[in-house]
Amino acid sequence: MKNEFMKRAIELSIESINSGGGPFGSVIVKDNKIISEGMNRVTVNNDPTAHGEIVAIRAATKVLNDFNLKGCELYTSTEPCPMCYSAIFWSRIDKIYYANTKEDAQRVDFDDSLIYSELQQSINKRKIPMIQLMRKEALVAFELWDKKTDKVEY
């Protein structure tokens, strides 16, 4: 079954290219059944977050009517970028299967090495300036959240 799910993710990566997107496809599986699919729609939708994994996660949460994808597995045509890995982590997907590596992606000009190195830098040394403002005022929201008794934790 695993090869069939990966085969579909790879098919989606090719479909994506043929429909104007980048070479990335993903499927999310629960109980040995594909519940969602995603392909890269960055340039098609003018959305830099529309990576195949993110598109599949968004679709899966709609199918399950839940932001928590525990019990699901992701099959993706390429090792997830830092943004997608973060989304996978936050969605609580149990396992990731991937085909191409980040080095394979780098060879065709999808290079995330700058992001990986930036995450290692202290905030004041990053390429995109980060300036903290109004922390005291913003902490009010965290204090309210901390005291909220009926919150849905995630």
Side-chain angles (χ1 to χ4, degrees), residues 123-141:
I123 287 176
N124 62 348
K125 291 185 179 180
R126 292 182 181 172
K127 296 206 182 295
I128 300 173
M130 294 180 65
I131 299 113
Q132 186 177 28
L133 296 173
M134 300 182 67
R135 179 175 179 259
K136 181 180 171 188
E137 293 82 354
L139 282 172
V140 171

Side-chain angles (χ1 to χ4, degrees), residues 1 4-6 8 38 68 75 85 93 98 141-142:
M1 286 301 275
E4 290 302 311
F5 299 142
M6 184 59 75
R8 180 62 186 146
N68 186 334
Y75 291 77
Y85 183 74
I93 288 172
Y98 66 95
F142 282 173

Side-chain angles (χ1 to χ4, degrees), residues 44-60:
V44 173
N45 295 348
N46 292 317
D47 178 354
T49 69
H51 291 199
E53 296 93 335
I54 302 290
V55 172
I57 288 169
R58 289 173 181 160

Side-chain angles (χ1 to χ4, degrees), residues 58-74:
R58 289 173 181 160
T61 61
K62 286 187 172 108
V63 167
L64 298 177
N65 195 32
D66 197 341
F67 60 85
N68 186 334
L69 300 181
K70 188 151 186 56
C72 295
E73 297 177 337
L74 175 85

Side-chain angles (χ1 to χ4, degrees), residues 104-144:
D104 295 328
Q106 185 177 9
R107 281 192 283 280
V108 293
D109 296 325
F110 291 95
D111 186 1
D112 296 322
S113 61
L114 174 63
I115 298 169
Y116 287 108
S117 67
E118 280 290 292
L119 290 172
Q120 302 299 315
Q121 298 291 329
S122 63
I123 287 176
N124 62 348
K125 291 185 179 180
R126 292 182 181 172
K127 296 206 182 295
I128 300 173
M130 294 180 65
I131 299 113
Q132 186 177 28
L133 296 173
M134 300 182 67
R135 179 175 179 259
K136 181 180 171 188
E137 293 82 354
L139 282 172
V140 171
F142 282 173
E143 291 164 4
L144 289 169

